[in-house]
Amino acid sequence: MSKVMKLKDAIAKYVEDGDVISLGGFTTNRKPYAAVNEILRQGQKDFIVEAGPAGGDWDTLIGAGRVKAYINCYTANSGYTNVSRRFRKAVERGELLMEDYSQDVEMQRIHAAALGLPYLPVRLMMGSDLVDKWGISKEERQKIDKLPDEKFIYVENPFKKGEKVVAAPVPDIDTAIIHVQMASPDGTTRILGNTFHDVDIAIAARKVIVTCEELVSDEYIKNFDAKDNKIPGFCIDAVVHAPYGAHPSQCYDYYDYDADFYKMYNVVSKEDEDFNGFLDEWVYGVEDHEAYLNKLGATRLIGLKNVPGLGYASDALKKGEEK
C-alpha cells in the first residue's frame, strides 16, 4: 500500500496540537525543515518536545510560540550560534518550560522508548547539577498530562545492594518527523551516513512522517544497495517527496549546508522584530516547499551540490539501470 502523501496533507493528518514530538537529524545535519515550515504555516501548537541535539528547526518553532515544554540536551546551529537565540530568549523570559538532560541520557531515553522499556537506569548525571536542579518543577509537571511527574528518581540497583542509580523516565512519543535521502511508497527508508537517533524515534513514535530527497520504487529500494535501508516500511505512516527538504541544513551525499542562510538566520534571530520578519518572508510568505525552493533559486541550490566528495543517488540509479 502506498503511503505517499503531499507534505501539506501529511502534516495536517499526523501532527496535532499537544503532541509529544521528536525531529530527526543533528544540529545542522538532515533536519526536516520543509516539514517544520509547513507546521508553522498550518498553526499546530503546544508541543511537548523530546529533542536530541537540535538547531534552527526547534529554534524557529520555539520562537513562533509553538512549544509548551522542551526536553533537550543541546540547541544550536553548530558553527553559527553557540546557543540558538530564540530558544535562549524564551528561557530567559520564562516563556518556555525547559528540562535539561545530558546528551548521553537524552539519547538513551529515546533509545529506551524504541526498546519499549518502562524507565532507564543510568549512572550518568549523578554528581552534577543535572540531578541537583530541575528545569520543570513537580508542580508544573502535574499540570501537563504528557510530562512525566518526575525528572528522575534514585533507585537501588537490584543486583548490587546499597548502590543507587538514576531512573530516568522514558518518553512516550506521539509524532516523529525525519528527513532522509531515499524512501519508497511502502515506507522503506534509506539513510546514508550517520543515522543519529532517527531509527529510534521512528520505532518509538505512534505516527511517523518521512520526507525524502528521492522517491523510488519499492522494488528498487529493496534490491539495490539495500544494506543502507535503515527503517522498515511498517514503522512509517507518510512518505513525502521533498527535494532539499533539509535546507538550510546538509543532507549527506546530496548537498552541503547553506552557510549564507545560517549566517543570515544568526543575525535575524537576535531580535523579535527581525525574527518575525524572517518568518513572514521565508515561511508564511511562501505557499509551500516548492515556493520556498523557487525563492531560493536554482543557482543557489545547485551551488550547494558542487562540493568535492559528494555523490548523488541519481548516479547510483543510473549505475543500477546499467547493471
Side-chain angles (χ1 to χ4, degrees):
M1 181 181 71
S2 176
K3 299 177 181 179
V4 177
M5 302 178 69
K6 292 182 178 179
L7 181 59
K8 185 176 294 186
D9 296 335
I11 296 301
K13 183 173 182 178
Y14 293 114
V15 179
E16 303 171 77
D17 289 355
D19 271 354
V20 177
I21 294 188
S22 191
L23 301 179
F26 185 100
T27 61
T28 58
N29 296 270
R30 230 174 6 82
K31 301 301 291 182
Y33 276 98
V36 167
N37 289 341
E38 185 57 35
I39 291 171
L40 288 166
R41 284 189 284 267
Q42 291 192 17
Q44 291 93 329
K45 62 185 185 303
D46 294 335
F47 300 130
I48 310 300
V49 178
E50 286 288 345
D57 51 343
W58 279 118
D59 195 52
T60 55
L61 286 162
I62 289 169
R66 306 303 178 83
V67 176
K68 191 169 189 176
Y70 191 59
I71 300 171
N72 179 243
C73 56
Y74 175 81
T75 303
N77 287 329
S78 299
Y80 299 96
T81 55
N82 291 328
V83 177
S84 292
R85 298 181 187 281
R86 293 290 98 193
F87 157 67
R88 180 170 182 168
K89 281 187 177 293
V91 173
E92 290 175 342
R93 291 168 173 171
E95 299 171 348
L96 179 68
L97 292 173
M98 190 270 175
E99 192 59 81
D100 189 15
Y101 288 93
S102 71
Q103 182 169 319
D104 286 339
V105 171
E106 181 61 14
M107 293 296 94
Q108 289 180 26
R109 291 177 67 244
I110 291 172
H111 184 55
L115 294 175
L117 299 178
Y119 65 90
L120 174 72
V122 292
R123 291 192 181 94
L124 301 165
M125 303 196 310
M126 294 174 68
S128 75
D129 275 353
L130 289 170
V131 290
D132 293 336
K133 298 178 181 178
W134 290 27
I136 305 176
S137 67
K138 290 184 180 182
E139 292 74 21
E140 289 291 344
R141 289 169 177 273
Q142 290 172 358
K143 298 175 185 178
I144 303 175
D145 291 340
K146 291 188 176 182
L147 280 178
D149 292 336
E150 310 268 356
K151 178 180 181 179
F152 76 96
I153 60 172
Y154 284 115
V155 297
E156 184 170 311
N157 180 351
F159 302 104
K160 195 170 183 179
K161 187 175 180 179
E163 181 182 67
K164 297 291 185 181
V165 296
V166 167
V170 171
D172 187 6
I173 302 171
D174 292 311
T175 304
I177 306 176
I178 301 163
H179 185 76
V180 303
Q181 287 87 353
M182 188 181 295
S184 69
D186 74 354
T188 302
T189 298
R190 181 168 297 177
I191 301 176
L192 305 180
N194 201 318
T195 60
F196 306 116
H197 60 296
D198 295 17
V199 176
D200 283 336
I201 63 174
I203 294 171
R206 291 191 301 108
K207 304 168 290 181
V208 183
I209 299 170
V210 165
T211 60
C212 61
E213 293 295 323
E214 295 197 75
L215 179 64
V216 299
S217 69
D218 296 332
E219 181 181 5
Y220 171 80
I221 206 167
K222 291 173 183 176
N223 290 287
F224 183 71
D225 280 348
K227 69 181 186 305
D228 291 318
N229 296 342
K230 297 300 193 298
I231 305 172
F234 62 78
C235 290
I236 309 302
D237 294 286
V239 176
V240 177
H241 185 211
Y244 290 97
H247 181 274
S249 67
Q250 62 182 294
C251 185
Y252 175 75
D253 214 35
Y254 279 65
Y255 48 86
D256 202 355
Y257 53 71
D258 190 331
D260 289 337
F261 198 97
Y262 274 129
K263 290 174 184 176
M264 178 267 290
Y265 184 81
N266 180 46
V267 173
V268 301
S269 60
K270 291 179 181 179
E271 303 297 336
D272 296 353
E273 184 177 353
D274 292 337
F275 175 73
N276 291 332
F278 166 82
L279 291 180
D280 288 340
E281 180 178 1
W282 287 98
V283 181
Y284 307 134
V286 292
E287 182 179 0
D288 51 26
H289 182 57
E290 288 73 21
Y292 173 86
L293 296 182
N294 286 334
K295 181 175 175 61
L296 286 168
T299 300
R300 181 173 188 164
L301 293 172
I302 290 171
L304 297 177
K305 286 192 171 186
N306 293 332
V307 178
L310 285 181
Y312 310 103
S314 56
D315 294 335
L317 286 169
K318 290 176 183 176
K319 291 177 183 178
E321 290 170 358
E322 291 171 359
K323 291 180 181 179

